Each structure stands twice: as structure tokens, then as C-alpha cells.
Amino acid sequence: MDFPTAPFPSDPRLPLLTLPEAREAVRLLMLLADDSEAGREARDLAAEVAARLPAE
């Protein structure tokens, strides 16, 4: 199978979120956290994201 090729940009990649935005996302996810299935998923995602953030 042939895959299409495209030139990749040579510019440095930027993060999708800034550090303050990522911290705010964790804060907002924790607001959604509760004992429901969606709340547990929000808590788990917040923990995963928070674990990837640099320590202050």
C-alpha cells in the first residue's frame, strides 16, 4: 500500500496548550469530578494531565 507523502514544515512545533492553559484545564476537569462515570473519567483525565505538567 502506498501512503501519500507531504513535506513536513521545518518550523518548530508549538505545544497545543500553554502551561497556564493546561493547569486551567486540570482545574476545570476537577470541577466536573464526582462519583458518576463521567465524573470519574474527568478525575482520571485531570490526574493524567497533571502528572505531565512540570513541577513548580
Side-chain angles (χ1 to χ4, degrees), residues 4-24:
T5 59
F8 290 99
S10 60
D11 298 337
R13 291 184 176 190
L14 299 175
L16 296 176
L17 295 174
T18 65
L19 183 56
E21 290 169 336
R23 287 188 175 131
E24 179 67 4

Side-chain angles (χ1 to χ4, degrees), residues 32-56:
L32 298 173
D34 59 23
D35 290 331
S36 69
E37 183 177 343
R40 287 189 299 272
E41 290 174 3
R43 185 180 299 112
D44 291 346
L45 181 56
E48 285 183 37
V49 173
R52 294 172 182 250
L53 297 178
E56 290 187 44

